[in-house]
Amino acid sequence: MSNIEQTLSIIKPDAVERNLENEIKEIFKINGFKIVKEKKIQIEKTEAEKFYKVHETKPFYNDLCSYLSSGPIVVMVLENDNAVLGNRELMGATNPKEAKEGTIRKKYGISIDKNSVHGSDSLENAKVEIDFFFKD
Ligand code: IDP
Ligand code: MG
């Protein structure tokens, strides 16, 4: 049975800066993801703080929010069968050093903070994150 879902993906500043936008989009498409919405934006630090609110008690929170707002990002709604988990698998582990061969973070990630992509971690969070960027 098919289970079509939508998830939020972000190509983070380190990847946009290295002109990896098209290569990364191609990887999503080859793996069956449809990019149903997308925009290239730069967000304010205060918006990054809202987006990453779940991490507000973490020691890396401030740096994380500075980083996400440090340059242009590409925000996308991806659609696929089991998109949420499928995107997490395609992205690979948070720390590129621990990410499996063939994953986006293994291929492009520089470090645990500059790990090239974001992806929603549950269907519930996917809905919240899609609304965060695309609610009109
Ligand atoms: P995820 O992006 O794989 O879902 P999360 O644990 O949700 O990972 O963390 C959000 C982001 O915060 C990560 O993608 C990474 O950029 C950053 N981050 C996570 N853990 C650390 C850390 O220990 N040091 C620095 N940055 C971190
Ligand atoms: Mg996360």
Side-chain angles (χ1 to χ4, degrees):
M1 228 172 61
S2 81
N3 178 43
I4 297 296
E5 296 174 347
Q6 292 190 341
T7 190
L8 187 89
S9 170
I10 303 176
I11 304 177
K12 293 183 175 182
D14 67 275
V16 175
E17 188 177 85
R18 286 176 288 150
N19 290 313
L20 295 170
E21 177 182 343
N22 289 334
E23 263 182 71
I24 291 174
K25 283 183 190 166
E26 210 45 50
I27 294 175
F28 287 128
K29 290 181 202 163
I30 288 165
N31 284 276
F33 290 86
K34 204 192 293 179
I35 300 169
V36 296
K37 286 182 188 169
E38 64 171 290
K39 58 182 177 184
K40 189 187 247 179
I41 53 174
Q42 182 163 358
I43 61 172
E44 298 289 339
K45 190 175 176 191
T46 51
E47 291 179 88
E49 286 166 354
K50 279 183 215 153
F51 181 73
Y52 275 132
K53 193 152 176 50
V54 295
H55 294 304
E56 70 183 332
T57 60
K58 308 272 172 65
F60 56 82
Y61 180 63
N62 183 56
D63 287 347
L64 174 62
C65 297
S66 296
Y67 166 65
L68 194 71
S69 56
S70 67
I73 57 175
V74 179
V75 188
M76 298 171 288
V77 176
L78 302 181
E79 190 173 281
N80 199 355
D81 204 32
N82 300 312
V84 174
L85 187 61
N87 179 42
R88 294 291 303 189
E89 285 176 358
L90 189 56
M91 284 163 56
T94 306
N95 186 346
K97 291 186 182 77
E98 289 160 15
K100 287 186 193 143
E101 228 30 82
T103 63
I104 295 172
R105 283 169 165 172
K106 173 74 179 183
K107 193 161 184 203
Y108 301 115
I110 296 168
S111 57
I112 192 162
D113 46 327
K114 295 183 175 174
N115 58 8
S116 304
V117 281
H118 166 85
S120 310
D121 63 2
S122 68
L123 192 57
E124 194 188 347
N125 284 336
K127 294 193 171 99
V128 173
E129 292 181 354
I130 289 168
D131 264 9
F132 185 89
F133 283 107
F134 291 100
K135 194 153 194 152
D136 5 61

